[in-house]
Amino acid sequence: MSNIVHHYWFDMQMIGNFLSFASRGDRVGLNEMLRQGMPPNVQDYDNRTALHLAASEGHASIVELLLAYNADVNLRDRWQRTPLADAKLYQHRDICRILELNGGRDLMEDHEMHVCLEDDPQENIDISELNLQNSSIIKQVS
């Protein structure tokens, strides 16, 4: 095992760069880091992987590259979402097909997720009915 691989495990900046390449669709930068030994399944503070980010942003060639390096197609992020769930959310049909052909599952379909309104805790919204295309960031309440 080379020294560069050992250092990747501890260098959050390198992991950040790797995930940024995936999010931006930088195939050259991502491929270089993978060739140098960066594990394809590293996760950020929200447990999101490069595959989650590429699926969310619609970068099919990045999804294919990560799968070629054996990225885990069903890792869940902090919200229990898989890369396929993200691709579906942002309507990237080509990426949905790629992920499904590689064993990807949308584990969110198995569980209904409800959002509780602060003013009336008895009122629930089925999150699957929300249109998030033009949404803004919502603070998660614990």
Side-chain angles (χ1 to χ4, degrees):
M1 191 177 242
S2 71
N3 282 342
I4 196 160
V5 173
H6 178 72
H7 285 96
Y8 278 151
W9 288 106
F10 302 104
D11 191 337
M12 293 306 291
Q13 183 170 355
M14 293 300 276
I15 292 171
N17 290 342
F18 179 74
L19 296 173
S20 179
F21 287 150
S23 179
R24 292 190 326 244
D26 184 340
R27 188 177 170 91
V28 173
L30 193 75
N31 191 47
E32 180 63 27
M33 292 186 83
L34 286 164
R35 284 189 22 236
Q36 290 179 5
M38 175 64 85
N41 295 319
V42 294
Q43 296 172 291
D44 67 9
Y45 51 88
D46 285 325
N47 294 334
R48 293 181 56 75
T49 64
L51 196 54
H52 281 95
L53 298 170
S56 294
E57 297 295 331
H59 301 303
S61 69
I62 299 297
V63 167
E64 290 171 337
L65 175 65
L66 289 163
L67 291 172
Y69 277 89
N70 299 314
D72 186 335
V73 73
N74 288 312
L75 278 181
R76 298 180 199 194
D77 65 14
R78 172 177 158 184
W79 301 279
Q80 301 305 306
R81 300 182 64 79
T82 62
L84 179 57
D86 287 343
K88 283 183 177 181
L89 177 65
Y90 295 105
Q91 301 176 2
H92 299 302
R93 291 185 186 99
D94 55 338
I95 293 174
C96 289
R97 281 191 296 278
I98 294 166
L99 293 170
E100 287 168 346
L101 287 172
N102 285 277
R105 295 179 34 224
D106 180 356
L107 303 173
M108 295 301 289
E109 288 178 346
D110 300 337
H111 308 287
E112 251 186 61
M113 188 165 128
H114 293 280
V115 176
C116 241
L117 299 176
E118 248 179 76
D119 296 343
D120 184 1
Q122 299 302 317
E123 186 69 35
N124 287 326
I125 298 170
D126 183 346
I127 198 163
S128 66
E129 295 176 9
L130 297 176
N131 178 351
L132 302 176
Q133 278 303 101
N134 298 313
S135 66
S136 56
I137 296 174
I138 300 171
K139 180 182 172 195
Q140 182 176 351
V141 180
S142 12

